[in-house]
Amino acid sequence: QVQLVESGGGLVQPGGSLRLSCVASGHTFTPYSMAWFRQAPGKEREFVAHLSLIGSAITYADSVKGRFTISRDNADDTLYLQMYGLKPDDTAVYYCAATTFPGVTRSPTGYGYWGQGTQVTVSS
């Protein structure tokens, strides 16, 4: 059974930065792509960033473009989300997701593997 485990969340002041990590464990796991989503209280889960592991195509939500960077360290199979210029609107639980199917999708239904989430709170 594959498990995705996120870490790196926390409380940060507006304008600050955080780096989230996501490690896959369990059976040998070769996803086609991985992504970060987030969910604020009372809101639907929304797409943040996507990384194709075949071809390395990257896609960002407009709300985070230029402030967030998604990357993966192939040596240790860790997915990262580097976040700069954090705003109170970025406050949410951030989830790592993966899929073994090709293509780029911003819909949570396109991903079959999920982590438990890590809380990011941006507040002064």
Side-chain angles (χ1 to χ4, degrees):
Q1 184 176 356
V2 175
Q3 287 187 318
L4 302 178
V5 180
E6 304 97 334
S7 62
L11 173 63
V12 63
Q13 292 186 342
S17 62
L18 282 174
R19 188 176 78 160
L20 307 182
S21 301
C22 172
V23 178
S25 63
H27 290 299
T28 301
F29 182 54
T30 307
Y32 182 91
S33 61
M34 299 186 73
W36 289 97
F37 286 78
R38 66 187 181 185
Q39 188 166 18
K43 295 187 176 181
E44 294 185 350
R45 192 166 297 189
E46 68 170 353
F47 169 80
V48 175
H50 170 276
L51 171 64
S52 295
L53 304 187
I54 310 298
S56 300
I58 292 176
T59 307
Y60 295 100
D62 288 343
S63 59
V64 306
K65 199 173 296 182
R67 299 188 298 122
F68 291 10
T69 301
I70 187 172
S71 63
R72 186 170 186 262
D73 186 333
N74 292 327
D76 58 11
D77 290 335
T78 302
L79 182 73
Y80 297 100
L81 184 68
Q82 178 67 57
M83 305 184 293
Y84 295 104
L86 284 162
K87 307 174 182 180
D89 285 349
D90 295 318
T91 296
V93 176
Y94 282 71
Y95 297 91
C96 170
T99 179
T100 55
F101 293 101
V104 178
T105 178
R106 299 183 178 215
S107 170
T109 59
Y111 298 83
Y113 302 91
W114 290 88
Q116 82 291 347
T118 185
Q119 176 70 48
V120 172
T121 302
V122 185
S123 175
S124 56

